[in-house]
Amino acid sequence: MSSEYDVIVIGGGPAGYPAAIRAGQNKLKVACIDEWVNKDGSYAFGGTCLNAGCIPSKALLESSELVHRAQHEFAVHGIKVGDVSVDVATMQKRRAGIVKASTQGITALFKAAGVTGLQGHGKLLKGNKVEFTGKDGKKEELTAKHVIIASGSSPTELKSVPFDGKQIVDSWGALEFDSVPKRLCVVGAGVIGLELGSVWRRLGSEVVVLEALDSFLPAADGAVSKEALKHFKKLGLDIRLGAKVSGADKSASGVKLKYTDAKGEQTLEVDKVVVAIGRRPFTKDLLGDGTGVQIDERGFIKVDHDCKTDVANVWAVGDVVRGPMLAHKGKEEGVMVADLIAGKIAEVNYKTIPSVIYTAPEIAWVGQTEEEVKKSGRAYKVGSFPFLASGRARAMEATAGFAKIVAATDDDEILGVHIIGPMAGELIAEAVLAMEYSASTEDLQRTIHAHPTLSEAVHEAALAADKIAIDFPNR
C-alpha cells in the first residue's frame, strides 16, 4: 500500500465516496478510508446511508407499502387476495440483499476510478498527514496534498432513554427488527421517525409517536404539514405533540416511558422504543493535536462556502459540516471539492437542495415555504393543485395531497415548491431544475407536460398561481 497520495478522503459514506471517485476521475491519486462495521462484524463502504439509513429504510418502506395496498387498496381495483400475511424474515433478507449489492457496488466503482479503498479508522494529523488504523489494529502514517473529511453523523441519544440495542434502539436498530412489535413508540416526529413509524404501523404495530415540539413538521410548508398530519393519523399513527420524554423503566414485558404534555405527567407502555430525535456530527478520534481544524459550538467542523476549513488543503463535507444532513447535499459537496482540488470550476447551490420524506403520501419540497416568504416581506402569489383532480392519480388510487408553488409577484420567480402526494420525491426534480435556472411560473406554464401524468399537478399549480388553471377551479 502506498503512503503518499494527492487526496485522502476520511469517510466512505454518501459524501466521501463520491469525492473519492470524482478525484480519481480527475486523474488524482486517491485513497478513501472508512471504518463502518456491520452488526455481523463485516466492513463496508457506503456509511449510514447505504448500510443503515436511506437504502435499507426505503426497501422496508416499499415492502410495507405493498402490504398496506394489498390489505386496503387492491379490492378497489377488483383484485382479491384474501388474507395477507407478513414474512418479516424474507422481508429483511431482501433488505439485506439490496444493501449488500449497493455497498459492493462502491468497491467496483472505486476500482473503475482508480481509488484505493482502505477499511479502518482515519485520523487527521498535523501537516496534512493521516493516521490509518487498519482492521488488524496496525497503524500507518499516510501523507496527502489534500485531505477531505467526510466522517458523517451518528444518532443523537436521549439521555433519559439511553440505547440498549434491544428494547430501546436507534434508527439502525429499528431496521433490524426480526418480528413486528405489538406496541412501538417512536420518540421524534421528524423525517426518520415518521418513516420508521410508517413501516411498522403498516406491518401491524400499534405505533405512538412522541414529539417534544408543539408543532408538526415545522420545516415543511404549513399547508403540507397540516395535510400530512391528517393522513398519518388516518394511517393509524398516534402522534402526540408537546410530549417531552423524561425516563424509561425496562422490564421483561417491555418499556414504560414517562413523559409530560399539556395535561401533565403521562406514562406509556410499549414493547420497543425507537429514539429518532436527530443526528450529530461524528468527530470521535478524528482530529489529532495541533491540526488547526476548528469545530463550532454544535460540533460541526467549520468551513466556508466552498467547504474549506481554516487549514490549507483540508476540506470537510457532508453531515459533519453546516447545512441539511442529506445524502444528496453531501454528495454534491464531495464532488464540488474534488473538482476544486483539480482546479475546475464547481459550486453547490444551497438554495435548491430538495428534501423528501418517503412516507405515504410522500412529501417533498425545495426552496422557501410560504411562511418564510411571508416573513421576508416580499410580495408573493400561490398556486395549488390537488391530486384528487389528477386523472393519473385517480387511476392509481393515490389522490391524497397536492402540489403547491410559491412565486414572487414582481418578477414571477419561483421561490418554493411543495408537494405531498404520490411520487412527490420524483416530481420535485422538475422544481429543483426550474429553480436552478431561476425559472418563473410562466416558464412552467409554457412547458408541455405529458398527459396523463402526475407531473401535470406541478403544471397546473403553476397555472393556478395566475388563476388560469384548466383542470381545477381558480380561487
Side-chain angles (χ1 to χ4, degrees):
M1 180 180 72
S2 175
S3 61
E4 296 183 2
Y5 297 89
D6 294 318
V7 179
I8 292 178
V9 182
I10 301 177
Y17 85 77
I21 290 172
R22 177 51 61 86
Q25 292 171 343
N26 287 335
K27 307 304 180 184
L28 299 173
K29 186 178 180 181
V30 189
C32 182
I33 302 171
D34 192 80
E35 63 177 327
W36 182 275
V37 181
N38 286 309
K39 295 185 182 296
D40 62 2
S42 63
Y43 279 71
F45 288 100
T48 296
C49 180
L50 267 67
N51 290 283
C54 313
I55 304 306
S57 65
K58 302 315 166 280
L60 287 184
L61 278 161
E62 184 67 20
S63 296
S64 65
E65 174 66 9
L66 291 175
V67 171
H68 181 80
R69 294 188 65 196
Q71 292 174 332
H72 302 282
E73 295 180 14
F74 281 7
V76 178
H77 292 271
I79 303 171
K80 298 180 180 180
V81 296
D83 293 334
V84 177
S85 61
V86 174
D87 183 342
V88 175
T90 299
M91 198 175 287
Q92 292 288 28
K93 183 178 179 181
R94 172 182 176 270
R95 172 193 59 80
I98 291 170
V99 168
K100 186 175 182 180
S102 299
T103 55
Q104 287 179 339
I106 294 178
T107 301
L109 291 170
F110 276 180
K111 184 177 180 180
V115 175
T116 300
L118 302 176
Q119 293 180 317
H121 181 73
K123 181 178 182 178
L124 179 68
L125 303 178
K126 188 177 180 180
N128 285 28
K129 295 181 180 180
V130 175
E131 180 185 83
F132 170 62
T133 305
K135 293 184 286 185
D136 57 1
K138 182 180 177 181
K139 296 182 185 296
E140 183 174 354
E141 190 170 280
L142 311 176
T143 60
K145 296 176 183 176
H146 293 266
V147 177
I148 303 173
I149 300 172
S151 52
S153 62
S154 58
T156 300
E157 189 170 32
L158 190 60
K159 291 182 179 180
S160 59
V161 188
F163 299 129
D164 65 10
K166 296 180 180 179
Q167 292 174 298
I168 302 173
V169 301
D170 59 15
S171 55
W172 188 6
L175 294 171
E176 299 275 347
F177 290 156
D178 56 11
S179 62
V180 179
K182 184 178 186 303
R183 302 166 301 170
L184 176 68
C185 176
V186 178
V187 182
V191 175
I192 297 172
L194 290 172
E195 289 184 354
L196 293 173
S198 295
V199 166
W200 295 108
R201 174 66 195 117
R202 292 193 296 233
L203 295 179
S205 283
E206 298 171 10
V207 179
V208 177
V209 180
L210 300 180
E211 170 55 53
L213 297 177
D214 293 320
S215 57
F216 181 68
L217 279 182
D221 185 86
V224 170
S225 297
K226 183 178 180 181
E227 181 79 0
L229 184 59
K230 179 178 70 175
H231 288 290
F232 290 143
K233 287 184 175 180
K234 185 178 179 181
L235 174 65
L237 291 179
D238 182 354
I239 299 173
R240 305 178 188 181
L241 301 176
K244 298 177 175 61
V245 178
S246 57
D249 295 323
K250 296 184 293 183
S251 66
S253 60
V255 182
K256 180 183 284 188
L257 285 168
K258 301 173 185 177
Y259 69 95
T260 57
D261 60 13
K263 297 179 181 178
E265 295 184 0
Q266 309 286 347
T267 60
L268 174 67
E269 294 187 32
V270 295
D271 300 301
K272 301 275 189 181
V273 178
V274 178
V275 178
I277 59 172
R279 298 180 65 84
R280 64 182 187 277
F282 183 80
T283 56
K284 182 180 179 181
D285 197 28
L286 177 67
L287 304 174
D289 295 333
T291 62
V293 174
Q294 301 295 311
I295 295 178
D296 69 18
E297 63 280 0
R298 296 185 299 157
F300 293 97
I301 292 177
K302 291 183 178 181
V303 293
D304 65 11
H305 183 79
D306 293 330
C307 292
K308 296 177 183 177
T309 70
D310 292 334
V311 181
N313 296 343
V314 176
W315 315 68
V317 297
D319 283 6
V320 79
V321 302
R322 78 289 178 268
M325 288 185 169
L326 297 170
H328 44 282
K329 171 260 193 185
K331 180 177 183 179
E332 293 306 314
E333 287 180 332
V335 170
M336 173 188 72
V337 166
D339 280 343
L340 290 174
I341 288 172
K344 297 181 178 180
I345 296 173
E347 184 181 20
V348 172
N349 184 354
Y350 289 96
K351 294 181 179 180
T352 57
I353 298 175
S355 295
V356 184
I357 305 177
Y358 296 89
T359 49
E362 283 189 355
I363 302 169
W365 68 87
V366 62
Q368 295 176 283
T369 65
E370 181 177 352
E371 291 76 16
E372 289 171 335
V373 176
K374 185 176 182 179
K375 187 177 180 180
S376 73
R378 187 172 185 180
Y380 69 93
K381 56 187 177 181
V382 174
S384 184
F385 184 80
F387 283 103
L388 185 63
S390 162
R392 182 66 191 276
R394 288 198 298 269
M396 293 170 61
E397 202 65 29
T399 57
F402 55 83
K404 175 180 176 180
I405 293 178
V406 184
T409 301
D410 53 5
D411 61 3
D412 199 30
E413 180 186 3
I414 298 171
L415 303 176
V417 179
H418 311 273
I419 306 172
I420 175 171
M423 305 299 288
E426 306 298 328
L427 296 177
I428 201 66
E430 177 182 8
V432 176
L433 182 63
M435 291 181 64
E436 181 66 28
Y437 284 90
S438 301
S440 64
T441 59
E442 183 182 3
D443 290 322
L444 285 184
Q445 291 168 4
R446 295 185 181 278
T447 300
I448 299 174
H449 291 67
H451 174 77
T453 60
L454 296 173
S455 66
E456 288 178 292
V458 177
H459 184 218
E460 286 287 330
L463 291 166
D466 289 324
K467 302 188 185 308
I468 54 174
I470 299 298
D471 290 321
F472 197 72
N474 293 285
R475 298 171 182 172

